[in-house]
Amino acid sequence: MERKYPHLCSPITLGRTTFRSRMFSAPMGGTDITNDGCIGPKSTAFYELRAKGGAAAVTVSECMVHPATDGSHAYHLDESILNSLACATYTADAIRRHGAIPSLELSHSGMFAGTYMTDKSRQKSMNQWGPSDTVRADGVEVKALTKEMIADIVASYGHVAGLAKRAGFEILMIHGGHGWLINQFLSPMFNKRTDEYGGSLENRCRLAVEVLQSVREAVGPFFPIEFRMSGAEFVEEGYDLDEGVRIAQMIEPYVDLIHVSAGTYQKTFGITHPSMFTEHGRNVFLAAEIKKHVSKPVATLGGLNDPAQMEEIVASGKADIVYMGRALLADPYLPNKVMANKDEDIVRCLRCFTCMAERAATATRRCTVNPLIGRECEGDVVYPAPVKKKVLVAGGGPGGLYAAYTAARRGHRVILCEKEGELGGILRSEQALPFKYDMYRLAGTYAKLAKDAGVEVRLHTEVTREYVEREAPDALIIAAGSAPLVPPIPGLRGDNVVVVNDYYLEKDKVGNEVVVMGGGLAGCECAIHLGMEGKRVHLVEMRDVLAPDANVRHRPLLLKEIEKYVTVHTGHKALRVTEEGVVCASPDGSEVLIPGGSVICALGQKSRTDVVEALQDAAPFVRVIGDASRVSTITNAVYWGYHAAMDV
């Protein structure tokens, strides 16, 4: 067949191993690590799903090579541990049997050992080792590794590499980026040594070279070795791209693939993991520059989820391989869809950081747009229902669409009713914010998937109790969503006020001086957008903090954008809206005018309880999902919608 994206779909050979395409699954940590450091069954299923979806290689992250100096917070391979090799073998086999090449990332956290621990007291009780004596920003003391310890760590890389090969892994990724141990030696920010491991770049590269030599000796001449590096660290004390090029040249003789990432995890999270506020592929230029100066293949990554962009990267020679992490959480089957010329069916990653925030909060995984993530062991296949039923879904927002799609896949006859003339619910409002366009596009993708699965969509159709009685469904899923809160503040319904949900319809009403009322997530993101457009923006919030509803990964990046574009007034309670702006009670009790001829009302949402109460017992099976049940997140709406359909 003729491929729509021929370069992205073409195979590539590293060493003597051939990979089926240029689309690789980036390292993502597992969630059920046993007390003795083994890969648990949930993690095996997690990685297997990416192999089923068509990724050419699936990288298991992060296998610690030296627990004595790196704690016990991640996987490690040790033949003295009864299940260690067996669990690794099961995982490699789960990946390989679907045609993907199993890869294992070998790592040492160095001075940041235990970073992923939810138990911070345990992290601080660990011994921390790095290139130099120092004290971390959180007050944890770090001791310099001795030469004897360095030699032992180097040997352990080789030892673990040999075990990984025995377990069935067919490529190894040596993690030399993001502020972990090898990067700590490469970086002048961390490495203050005065011996042969510090000072000149050649000395700072010595550990990386010795590690790669140790691994090569263990796995043999034709086994592919990949080195993951930060092309630049993007901090003043670190190294820049020019030095990144020289690092790549120094390690090139010892590797088969140079994997170019970016930044240092502890200081440039939003660069290493590009947020919605940055362009897709913001780190590709690093790989493109390094590729000009080396002869070995180069891989790139960084918020990539568009096959057309990835095709251009490979076709133009910027990189030979494209890695995806979050994009394959959102849609594990993205590579298969690309190979089948069905890229219009791809569910795009929103770069919302729900996945990483959930891991930080509960040590589990969750994805806003894919309810299977983190729950793969519960079944990643939607099986046909034993009894086919008539299902009515009231509401065409994300939860209702996903419920309808899932129910149709199970063989039910599904009717989805939306009282407006367009599907998407609250997602429709995101189309006016360029950095949230992926979220707006999600509604269209879900709608296409639902229609292709056989869902009958009825627009301009309000579901009343009488309507349900006429249709007589076996199951009713209520996804009526929420409505904006517009409190009885004098002037709040004036002509100069736009409710944030309607901004996409009324943006021409908004002038150059704007007051945004409400410092929750919606208000903050709208304020950032207005600031990016060059408007003078004031943000009013009665609480002392902004965006407490934002997740722990997204919020710090959000607040940085707020600092760039918005004047913030926390602790201010709106009293009335005038043509000149919003009159507020300041923290000291005095009245103050926050100036702005235009006002955005972003004071929250309320469930459509009237719809729920009217329909509660209208069918034999009734389930309320999403904001109609409780004002929450798209994540919960999709998750509840999926399981409501699975319960029918």
Side-chain angles (χ1 to χ4, degrees), residues 486-494 517 573-577 582-583 603:
V486 185
I489 297 173
L492 194 54
R493 296 187 181 274
M517 295 174 58
K573 181 179 180 181
L575 300 176
R576 57 188 178 276
V577 178
V582 180
V583 178
L603 296 173

Side-chain angles (χ1 to χ4, degrees), residues 139-198:
V140 174
E141 183 181 356
V142 177
K143 300 176 183 178
L145 290 164
T146 66
K147 292 181 185 179
E148 291 75 18
M149 295 171 77
I150 291 173
D152 195 42
I153 290 171
V154 168
S156 72
Y157 269 96
H159 177 67
V160 174
L163 292 175
K165 182 179 180 181
R166 190 199 308 178
F169 288 96
E170 297 179 45
I171 180 173
L172 292 174
M173 179 188 293
I174 310 305
H175 196 349
H178 301 171
W180 302 137
L181 182 65
I182 293 176
N183 177 251
Q184 289 162 27
F185 273 79
L186 293 173
S187 173
M189 176 170 56
F190 299 114
N191 189 343
K192 310 298 182 183
R193 298 178 76 101
T194 57
D195 61 7
E196 64 266 38
Y197 289 96

